[in-house]
Amino acid sequence: MTDAADGAIRVASPAGRWIVLTTVLGSSMALLDSTVINVALPRIGEDLDTDLAALQWTVNAYMLTLAGLILLGGALGDRFGRRRVFVIGVVWFAVASLLCGLAPNAAVLIAARALQGVGGALLTPGSLALIQASFHPDDRARAVGLWSGLGGVGAAVGPFVGGWLVDGPGWRWVFLLNLPLAAVCLPVALRHVPESRDPEAHGRFDVLGAALAALALALVTYALIEVPVQGASVTVIGAAIGGVLLGVAFVQVERSRADPMVPPSIFASRQFTAVNIVTFCVYAALGGFFFLSAIQLQVVAGYSALGAGTALLPTTVLMLLFSASAGDLGRRIGPRIPLTVGPLLAAAGMLLMLRVGPGASLSSYVQDVLPAVLVLGTGMVILVAPLTATVLAAVDTGRAGLASGINNAAARAAGLLAVAALPLLAGMGPEAYRDAGEFAATFRRAMPMCAGLLVAGSVIAWWTVRTTPEAARRCRPECTTHCGVTAPPLEPERQTAERAGGT
């Protein structure tokens, strides 16, 4: 078998096809459970007889451990072997999925979801790292494209399959579906995927930093979710203060460590910092929207789980079909306009969802829901690809993996905090999802908040994003004060393609 360290595998070879299949299956498991869970929430609440807070934790327990540990997961793969850590992540994720599917109550389900997030933090960064390490430089861009495209198909069918499972055999199969995926992924990975590691990886792992980040997010999330239930109790206030203090401690630890998980120096690029703030605004809005809209369609509009999953499908289909073209457009005109216009369109789509109320039905889908999801999807198409490209262009190529990981963690943390905070800010009670009238009223208050986050992201992008990636390459490598971007000089087309494939 070809050694991955040689980077000599071709996409068209049998080994190349096996690697693409393995990485797509692994990343699809983590992706499916983050996209289909919202559709299953009302049925989970009814079956386990639980309140809205437990449903929030069902979503957030997964995102919490994933956001807090994903950078550490990538570092473990670089040190101990990317295939090894990827395989451990797949096994871990499958076992946690089994626990989710068998959970007798909400407490066990939430704990199992947290374990799922740990598995996701191990396998998610490993899937792309395996492609980068295994394929010949000339084929990396193509391999990444196949991985992205096939993963996009999985994301597109996820809500449909999830809704079908919830309405058919039951919500538990949303989690149990991961077991056959893992059963196919594991033997293929062990037999056909070469091992690789970073020979220059050294130093101690920043376990303290990862723990502080995860605990800070956990305490703040706990305070936001429990306020409607407990009020301003000593426990809630203590959790909020403790979360803030741990967040401050995390910043101090990262500044003082020799090998920090999040090197403060990476934020010397103003462009990188600004685009991550835009990312936070965008993904907080999207996380809150998809969490609440799936419940709104079922509890208020009377859709089935399958109907709700299918209703939101056009946003993903648009992303799948046109994201590449949007990325090309961003490269031609620069990211400033897409990152300004895209969030505004997405905000308009969210406001159009206010038309979906007790009078809506499947028969009025074209009038009530489709315009909203089409406008939202168009906005997402325009902004997502340029957002990612701008993050990677804002740092030198050697830090592209770190930049991508930080941006991914920011997006996950944003969704986590949005799901925790929006019900509180909108005034949702613990039993709101059981009452169509109450949920509809709070949904009408929540959607303008989500739209406001997108408008804020748009304004930040307009005022801070100045330079196109192409222009950045023409700047001096040390140019961080003029254009806010650290980037290498222009290079031959082949080297540029190699770098794109490596990100």
Side-chain angles (χ1 to χ4, degrees):
M1 180 178 294
T2 304
D3 189 347
D6 296 334
I9 296 176
R10 294 287 187 170
V11 171
S13 68
R17 290 193 289 267
W18 282 118
I19 292 171
V20 171
L21 173 64
T22 305
T23 55
V24 167
L25 286 174
S27 59
S28 292
M29 290 199 309
L31 180 62
L32 282 172
D33 270 37
S34 64
T35 58
V36 306
I37 185 64
N38 292 332
V39 175
L41 290 176
R43 202 67 57 86
I44 292 174
E46 292 176 9
D47 190 30
L48 300 182
D49 191 24
T50 190
D51 59 12
L52 180 64
L55 299 185
Q56 290 172 274
W57 276 116
T58 300
V59 175
N60 278 349
Y62 176 79
M63 291 196 291
L64 176 63
T65 50
L66 181 60
L69 301 176
I70 193 168
L71 287 173
L72 182 61
L76 288 170
D78 289 341
R79 177 77 64 83
F80 296 115
R82 298 178 179 107
R83 184 186 67 176
R84 177 182 298 173
V85 173
F86 176 81
V87 166
I88 291 172
V90 171
V91 173
W92 189 306
F93 198 91
V95 172
S97 298
L98 178 61
L99 294 176
C100 289
L102 300 177
N105 53 53
V108 174
L109 177 60
I110 291 167
R113 285 283 286 167
L115 290 175
Q116 265 194 321
V118 176
L122 295 175
L123 69 88
T124 300
S127 62
L128 195 54
L130 284 172
I131 290 177
Q132 178 181 356
S134 302
F135 284 103
H136 190 281
D138 290 345
D139 279 10
R140 284 176 189 162
R142 184 183 174 195
V144 171
L146 286 172
W147 177 81
S148 301
L150 294 173
V153 172
V157 302
F160 178 83
V161 173
W164 177 78
L165 290 172
V166 171
D167 287 340
W171 62 266
R172 296 179 185 275
W173 284 93
V174 169
F175 303 108
L176 297 177
L177 179 64
N178 291 319
L179 300 182
L181 292 177
V184 175
C185 184
L186 280 174
V188 174
L190 292 171
R191 181 170 181 176
H192 297 285
V193 177
E195 183 60 281
S196 66
R197 55 178 53 86
D198 183 0
E200 298 182 2
H202 63 279
R204 293 185 299 176
F205 292 109
D206 189 7
V207 177
L208 178 59
L212 288 173
L215 287 173
L217 284 172
L219 289 175
V220 171
T221 300
Y222 175 85
L224 291 170
I225 290 177
E226 292 299 320
V227 164
V229 180
Q230 300 184 30
S233 65
V234 174
T235 304
V236 169
I237 294 175
I241 295 174
V244 173
L245 292 177
L246 287 176
V248 173
F250 168 74
V251 173
Q252 295 301 319
V253 165
E254 297 305 283
R255 286 179 173 176
S256 62
R257 291 184 70 92
D259 296 300
M261 182 176 69
V262 182
S265 60
I266 198 170
F267 294 99
S269 166
R270 291 178 299 179
Q271 185 100 321
F272 180 79
T273 302
V275 176
N276 274 287
I277 295 173
V278 174
T279 296
F280 189 91
C281 292
V282 167
Y283 281 92
L286 293 175
F289 172 82
F290 285 110
F291 172 71
L292 296 176
S293 294
I295 301 176
Q296 174 81 353
L297 289 170
Q298 293 178 73
V299 173
V300 178
Y303 284 42
S304 64
L306 176 59
T310 307
L312 299 173
L313 190 60
T315 57
T316 309
V317 173
L318 286 173
M319 288 282 294
L320 180 62
L321 293 177
F322 300 112
S323 286
S325 299
D328 291 338
L329 176 64
R331 282 189 290 271
R332 289 198 301 270
I333 68 173
R336 187 185 187 195
I337 293 176
L339 295 186
T340 301
V341 175
L344 292 178
L345 278 175
M350 291 183 182
L351 294 178
L352 286 173
M353 278 295 289
L354 294 173
R355 302 171 62 184
V356 180
S361 64
L362 280 172
S363 60
S364 61
Y365 171 77
V366 173
Q367 176 182 343
D368 294 327
V369 181
L370 186 59
V373 295
L374 287 178
V375 174
L376 172 65
T378 302
M380 290 172 63
V381 165
I382 292 173
L383 74 91
V384 169
L387 188 68
T388 304
T390 307
V391 165
L392 296 177
V395 299
D396 62 76
T397 305
R399 292 183 130 185
L402 175 64
S404 178
I406 292 173
N407 189 249
N408 195 314
R412 304 283 185 175
L416 165 74
L417 294 175
V419 171
L422 269 176
L424 169 65
L425 296 175
M428 291 184 185
E431 303 297 322
Y433 81 95
R434 300 180 188 271
D435 186 303
E438 181 182 353
F439 194 89
T442 53
F443 182 82
R444 286 194 295 270
R445 293 193 288 270
M447 282 304 99
M449 297 178 190
C450 292
L453 283 168
L454 287 166
V455 172
S458 174
V459 172
I460 293 169
W462 177 256
W463 284 106
T464 60
V465 177
R466 297 295 181 190
T467 311
T468 67
E470 287 83 356
R473 291 192 197 87
R474 287 188 287 270
C475 286
R476 300 182 307 276
E478 69 276 11
C479 183
T480 58
T481 55
H482 170 259
C483 62
V485 178
T486 301
L490 271 176
E491 297 183 342
E493 194 65 26
R494 176 175 172 179
Q495 294 183 25
T496 303
E498 289 179 14
R499 290 183 168 184
T503 60

